[in-house]
Amino acid sequence: MSTDEETWGRMLALHARVEQELAKALHRRHGLGLSEYRALGKLAVARKSGLRMQELAEAVGLNQSSVSRMVARLEDGGLTVRDICEGDRRGVYSVITDAGRARHAEAEPTYREILAAALDQAAADPALTEAVATIRSA
């Protein structure tokens, strides 16, 4: 039986392996970073196709300055635009554009394909087999 630390270490190793594969494939095939892909996905399903910057930061697990830089890259690519909150002029929203929706839709099959392949590969590693099985059964 393993300790919590050993189990957590295996989960972190699995996470790092899968994230690295996803990031490489999304960048190579679609010119998107992993956080950018995830942000576009969150914006695509958000009410009014946008989220306040702080909400987006929380949704993708970034701090405020990192999400600001990411949103600037998305804006430069025409994938999002900024909008001012009508009820609170200090609030700034990031809103997905049609081009952003299209890029996310184009990248989604790659994300799914690479995720499945990375999990399959990790499942072949005896140290990660149980972790992958747990994730896939959840």
Side-chain angles (χ1 to χ4, degrees):
M1 177 163 285
S2 64
T3 67
D4 286 345
E5 285 182 51
E6 291 167 336
T7 301
W8 184 244
R10 284 192 297 277
M11 291 300 293
L12 290 175
L14 174 60
H15 179 267
R17 182 184 291 189
V18 171
E19 292 282 283
Q20 183 178 30
E21 292 300 316
L22 288 167
K24 284 189 311 190
L26 288 169
H27 181 72
R28 186 173 51 248
R29 296 182 192 179
H30 305 282
L32 286 174
L34 187 52
S35 293
E36 293 166 343
Y37 169 81
R38 290 183 173 143
L40 290 174
K42 297 294 183 184
L43 294 172
V45 298
R47 196 179 79 134
K48 296 187 179 181
S49 301
L51 291 170
R52 288 180 86 126
M53 297 293 272
Q54 184 59 40
E55 294 171 324
L56 184 57
E58 291 171 10
V60 296
L62 296 175
N63 63 38
Q64 191 67 39
S65 65
S66 294
V67 85
S68 292
R69 288 190 304 273
M70 178 194 64
V71 166
R73 288 190 305 273
L74 292 171
E75 289 173 353
D76 289 346
L79 306 177
T80 64
V81 294
R82 289 185 197 234
D83 193 17
I84 302 297
C85 176
E86 291 179 18
D88 177 3
R89 289 287 189 210
R90 294 171 296 159
V92 177
Y93 280 81
S94 181
V95 180
I96 193 167
T97 63
D98 289 343
R101 284 184 189 284
R103 179 78 66 86
H104 183 265
E106 291 166 4
E108 190 169 21
T110 297
Y111 184 91
R112 291 175 189 263
E113 168 198 339
I114 298 304
L115 176 60
L119 288 173
D120 288 345
Q121 185 179 17
D125 181 339
L128 300 176
T129 302
E130 185 179 342
V132 174
T134 300
I135 289 168
R136 286 186 158 161
S137 69

